[in-house]
């Protein structure tokens, strides 16, 4: 009986060591979640429910050529202006690596889209910053699916280990 308990403990430790670090791994944030990068969505409210860290990636998914993604300065964000030298992303699935802490601003440069709210401010924390968001973040796109699968795997292993004890 004691050997089965030791086996259970060993399995539980192995699962924890294997899967728990992955839960804190870099996150792929789909901007706008299932709505994507589009008009009629509150990106300010969306960003306030997320915690962005160095190493994470933003994914802007939209129908091209209807929209673009342009990273701008804080002043250009407030004015909804796009500098002539700005890099315009227009693939329909643009990815932006969050490679340093700080504030970043993104707008759509098509027509009056930015003026109509198609812009987002992202506050990026250092990778080792464990600050807690004021609002618990809801699942964020693809990353939440990975976390859910890892949690299911942990539960499955725990259930098998419990059966071994019986």
């Amino acid at each position: 009986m004691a050997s089965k308990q030791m086996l259970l403990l060993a399995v539980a430790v192995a699962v924890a060591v294997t899967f728990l670090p992955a839960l804190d791994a870099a996150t792929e944030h789909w901007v706008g979640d299932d709505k994507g990068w589009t008009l009629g969505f509150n990106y300010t409210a969306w960003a306030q429910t997320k915690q962005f860290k160095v190493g994470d990636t933003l994914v802007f998914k939209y129908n091209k050529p209807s929209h673009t993604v342009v990273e701008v300065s804080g002043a250009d964000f407030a004015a909804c202006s796009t500098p002539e030298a700005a890099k315009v992303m227009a693939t329909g699935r643009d990815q932006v690596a969050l490679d340093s802490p700080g504030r970043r601003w993104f707008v759509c440069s098509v027509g009056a889209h930015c003026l109509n709210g198609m812009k987002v401010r992202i506050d990026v924390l250092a990778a080792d910053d464990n600050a807690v968001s004021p609002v618990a973040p809801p699942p964020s796109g693809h990353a939440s699916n990975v976390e859910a699968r890892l949690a299911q795997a942990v539960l499955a292993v725990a259930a098998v280990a419990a059966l071994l004890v019986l």
Side-chain angles (χ1 to χ4, degrees):
M1 182 70 165
S3 64
K4 286 185 180 180
Q5 289 174 338
M6 289 302 291
L7 176 63
L8 175 62
L9 179 61
V11 169
V13 169
V15 167
V17 168
T18 303
F19 290 109
L20 290 182
L23 294 176
D24 194 37
T27 301
E28 188 174 78
H29 298 279
W30 290 65
V31 178
D33 292 328
D34 61 334
K35 300 291 184 199
W37 186 236
T38 189
L39 288 166
F41 187 85
N42 186 339
Y43 292 100
T44 300
W46 174 84
Q48 289 173 344
T49 66
K50 308 294 181 213
Q51 188 174 69
F52 305 98
K53 289 189 173 191
V54 170
D56 289 354
T57 302
L58 296 177
V59 179
F60 293 84
K61 189 167 180 0
Y62 55 92
N63 293 324
K64 64 177 193 173
S66 301
H67 305 295
T68 63
V69 178
V70 183
E71 186 166 6
V72 296
S73 69
D76 288 328
F77 179 83
C80 277
S81 63
T82 304
E84 285 187 34
K87 177 186 171 191
V88 178
M89 295 174 270
T91 67
R93 191 178 188 280
D94 303 314
Q95 295 189 18
V96 177
L98 302 178
D99 51 9
S100 61
R103 188 165 284 169
R104 298 184 62 180
W105 301 270
F106 300 91
V107 301
C108 178
S109 64
V110 174
H113 290 189
C114 179
L115 291 170
N116 289 316
M118 202 167 166
K119 60 184 188 174
V120 64
R121 182 187 88 192
I122 304 294
D123 295 316
V124 184
L125 301 172
D128 58 355
D129 192 343
N130 290 324
V132 176
S133 298
V135 177
S140 179
H142 176 71
S144 65
N145 293 337
V146 171
E147 289 177 5
R149 286 188 203 125
L150 286 173
Q152 289 171 347
V154 168
L155 290 174
V157 170
V160 168
L163 288 174
L164 290 174
V165 171
L166 300 176

